[in-house]
Amino acid sequence: MVLAGCSNDPSPAARPIGATPSLTPSAGQRVVSQSLVAKPTTLDLGGVTVDTWAYGDTAPGPLLRAKAGDMLRVTVDNQLPDDTTIHWHGIRLRNVADGVPGQTQDPIKPGTSYTYEFTAPDPGTYFFHPHVGVQLDRGLYAPLIIDDPSEPGRYDAEWVVVLDDWIDGTGTTPDEVFTKLTGGQGGGMDHGSMEGMDHGAMRGMARDGAQPFGDAGDVAYPHYVINGRAPADPDVLRAKPGQRVRMRVINAGSDTIFAVAMGGHQMTVTATDGWPVEPVTTDAFYIGMGERYDVEVTLDDGVFPLVATPVGKKGIARALVRTGPGRAPADDTTPRELSGQVLMGTDLRPAESSRLDPKDPDDQQMLHLSGQMQPYSWAVNGKPFGQNTPISLTRGNRVRLRMMNMTTMTHPMHLHGHTFALPNGLRKDTVLIAPMRSIDVDLDADNPGDWMAHCHNIYHAEAGMMIALNYVK
Ligand code: C2O
Ligand code: CU
């Protein structure tokens, strides 16, 4: 295959970066400061106790919230026994704050701290997580919300709903999971029938055609959680009957696409990855790793399950919505909405305000996704990250990325530092690409630096399904 415009040297795995230049707030700019401690801790997931790593003593970590245009100044104290960084997923920030070790900063060594300073220009629902190894699959993640000062606010209450697949501290760690995956053992792990790499079962699921994502994940997790709680002792979201609630749903999972529904309710999707869409009312919706959906729901009177089922896997994540007295539904209740219309994000249409200015692309670049389970290897443009050739971007260009999935799995492809537009104009920073599908996305190269595009399945990314996009002018 001939790749246009790829003339850089292959990216070295990690080069020394040196001190990060500090940022001075502009006149009148508000500064939101927060400190985080990344550390080993013990968490109660609701009937399950795990030793893990988290930001403080909760997972999700503390909500970070600012207004569009604010400067964020976040100090991270690394008390982990390992290097770490933080990536501010989806934020169109200055390159030096992007949190990619060896590309935008040196890793934060154990026992040291580091300060991130950046302006968050766009309102929306985001999150943050490390960009080192498979640390995302620990408890190291937290929501990041950028408010729009001019938004009308058509809702009475707001809930942040963070989904995760959980294995850390259940007799194994994400590092061990990755070692087993890459060790070519592939046939299941030794701590219980639901754990390990349940791949044959997922292929079976793919054949029945019930969901559009084929082989959706590599790891069968022992637990799926909403806001850090397992179904046996779920998070309870409270409001009053008749109130209109805005849910900001974030998939912080490492290897799991979820289908989300609220028993007895329809949901109206209003934004994805921070960008307003033409509102669509649906029974349920899919959300891939790294994606976010804002939905609005008018609440009925009673107690209802808010459920996220892992696509192609066994298990359930659940919270409870309570607007009145009443007994909670059984913890394995699957709302019938999940067998109704399940919205695919790529079927959404952008709000007018989310569209890029009409323009033909100046340049086209290919991201050819390849790989398989046995041996476990994943690549972009024929080689794993570190051996593949960075894509060159020229400042000012409208660039079309043609992302071609040549595998039997779905990959949530995420781009740093920019958002892109799908062919129908939908703006996103993370998009699910089903097996053997290809998607063209357009971006404006308006944020110079060295960036990443990668699969947000953290095991695929760590195995090499990642590529650098470097501004050359
Ligand atoms: Cu949330 Cu490079 O990713
Ligand atoms: Cu992938």
Side-chain angles (χ1 to χ4, degrees):
M1 182 178 39
V2 179
L3 298 168
C6 292
S7 54
N8 295 5
D9 294 331
S11 18
R15 59 190 161 86
I17 308 293
T20 302
S22 65
L23 184 64
T24 309
S26 57
Q29 188 178 28
R30 196 171 72 130
V31 179
V32 173
S33 300
Q34 186 155 327
S35 42
L36 293 169
V37 182
K39 59 171 209 169
T41 188
T42 301
L43 297 183
D44 173 11
L45 304 180
V48 192
T49 301
V50 292
D51 292 328
T52 187
W53 299 353
Y55 297 122
D57 292 302
T58 61
L63 168 67
L64 178 53
R65 185 157 210 155
K67 280 205 279 294
D70 287 350
M71 179 175 141
L72 287 89
R73 183 179 281 145
V74 185
T75 299
V76 190
D77 176 5
N78 181 12
Q79 296 181 9
L80 302 171
D82 196 3
D83 292 354
T84 196
T85 63
I86 296 185
H87 170 63
W88 313 92
H89 180 111
I91 302 280
R92 204 161 51 88
L93 42 53
R94 65 185 192 131
N95 188 237
V96 295
D98 197 43
V100 179
Q103 191 190 53
T104 67
Q105 68 170 98
D106 295 319
I108 310 170
K109 295 283 170 201
T112 69
S113 63
Y114 183 90
T115 300
Y116 290 90
E117 293 175 316
F118 57 91
T119 296
D122 305 309
T125 303
Y126 304 92
F127 73 122
F128 60 88
H129 62 76
H131 224 278
V132 171
V134 292
Q135 288 180 7
L136 169 64
D137 210 10
R138 307 232 183 203
L140 294 165
Y141 57 83
L144 168 55
I145 295 188
I146 306 298
D147 288 307
D148 182 350
S150 64
E151 191 184 65
R154 295 154 301 178
Y155 47 90
D156 307 305
E158 182 199 77
W159 297 334
V160 178
V161 174
V162 187
L163 314 177
D164 193 21
D165 44 17
W166 198 286
I167 199 164
D168 194 28
T170 63
T172 188
T173 65
D175 292 309
E176 287 174 9
V177 170
F178 185 66
T179 301
K180 291 205 178 180
L181 284 167
T182 53
Q185 299 176 22
M189 298 169 68
D190 51 9
H191 47 87
S193 59
M194 277 193 49
E195 296 152 344
M197 294 89 204
D198 191 11
H199 223 250
M202 280 177 265
R203 290 227 174 77
M205 292 288 293
R207 273 195 301 271
D208 72 16
Q211 52 88 3
F213 299 116
D215 201 347
D218 300 340
V219 182
Y221 286 77
H223 307 288
Y224 297 93
V225 294
I226 295 182
N227 293 343
R229 308 298 294 177
D233 187 8
D235 192 23
V236 181
L237 304 162
R238 291 170 200 276
K240 295 197 175 66
Q243 281 191 327
R244 194 164 172 77
V245 62
R246 176 190 197 157
M247 289 199 292
R248 298 175 178 269
V249 186
I250 301 166
N251 184 350
S254 285
D255 180 72
T256 306
I257 301 166
F258 289 97
V260 179
M262 189 190 295
H265 293 78
Q266 287 202 310
M267 299 176 285
T268 301
V269 180
T270 58
T272 182
D273 297 357
W275 293 90
V277 299
E278 281 181 6
V280 172
T281 299
T282 185
D283 296 318
F285 62 91
Y286 290 112
I287 180 169
M289 302 78 98
E291 284 192 295
R292 291 89 63 210
Y293 288 87
D294 288 15
V295 305
E296 291 179 10
V297 185
T298 302
L299 296 169
D300 211 339
D301 192 354
V303 189
F304 309 93
L306 174 66
V307 161
T309 54
V311 172
K313 302 181 182 187
K314 292 197 201 84
I316 194 166
R318 194 181 73 136
L320 282 184
V321 170
R322 184 179 278 285
T323 64
R327 190 127 51 87
D331 68 9
D332 57 354
T333 311
T334 308
R336 64 180 163 72
E337 284 75 11
L338 279 171
S339 16
Q341 179 209 357
V342 189
L343 180 98
M344 304 248 298
T346 47
D347 289 338
L348 290 166
R349 297 177 54 80
E352 269 325 297
S353 62
S354 299
R355 287 185 182 275
L356 288 176
D357 295 333
K359 186 182 177 191
D360 288 330
D362 304 296
D363 183 19
Q364 179 168 311
Q365 302 280 351
M366 185 83 86
L367 275 76
H368 182 277
L369 314 178
S370 62
Q372 72 289 311
M373 289 296 289
Q374 305 261 357
Y376 195 81
S377 75
W378 301 99
V380 180
N381 293 344
K383 296 206 175 92
F385 179 71
Q387 295 168 42
N388 53 15
T389 305
I391 286 170
S392 300
L393 298 181
T394 300
R395 188 174 189 174
N397 276 0
R398 170 74 52 88
V399 181
R400 178 159 295 171
L401 301 178
R402 173 157 292 179
M403 302 197 283
M404 299 181 65
N405 179 1
M406 309 304 285
T407 79
T408 60
M409 292 195 71
T410 293
H411 305 283
M413 290 301 294
H414 172 57
L415 174 65
H416 287 205
H418 303 73
T419 59
F420 48 70
L422 272 57
N424 74 353
L426 181 70
R427 290 288 282 284
K428 286 182 75 54
D429 57 61
T430 309
V431 64
L432 285 168
I433 310 180
M436 304 310 287
R437 290 300 187 86
S438 128
I439 294 186
D440 286 354
V441 299
D442 285 4
L443 67 98
D444 280 332
D446 58 1
N447 194 8
D450 294 345
W451 303 99
M452 290 289 192
H454 61 88
C455 177
H456 222 273
N457 180 312
I458 199 61
Y459 296 99
H460 293 187
E462 184 61 10
M465 194 174 258
M466 177 149 74
I467 195 164
L469 290 89
N470 299 342
Y471 279 66
V472 290
K473 277 188 223 120

